[in-house]
Amino acid sequence: MKRIQKGSVCGISLKLQDEERERRMDFIPDETMIKVDQIKVDEETLDMLSVLGMGDIPRLVKVDPVAAPVPPIGFDRSGGPEGRF
């Protein structure tokens, strides 16, 4: 049964595999694993949610966007990335 949990297994009846798959899909946890106190979104995302009629989702918090740093990409004489070896 442990092998079936990972996916389909050759040599085992399809009925048994289907039953195991249905059992996993029908499981509803008592408590969600995703607990979020705040949902941080930038102004653009908040505007998109408002256009879709979902701007009143509880716990939405507007934050300023933060630009991710872009590492410089250089090439050495061999044509490959610098510092590779």
Side-chain angles (χ1 to χ4, degrees), residues 39-59:
I39 303 170
K40 297 178 182 177
V41 295
D42 61 355
E43 185 176 356
E44 185 177 357
T45 305
L46 194 57
D47 291 341
M48 286 190 282
L49 289 171
S50 297
V51 169
L52 294 172
M54 299 188 307
D56 57 348
I57 295 175
R59 297 185 301 268

Side-chain angles (χ1 to χ4, degrees), residues 19-32:
E19 288 174 0
E20 181 67 23
R21 187 178 306 114
E22 286 180 19
R23 185 186 68 77
R24 283 192 313 245
M25 289 175 56
D26 291 340
F27 175 74
I28 300 173
D30 295 331
E31 188 174 316
T32 180

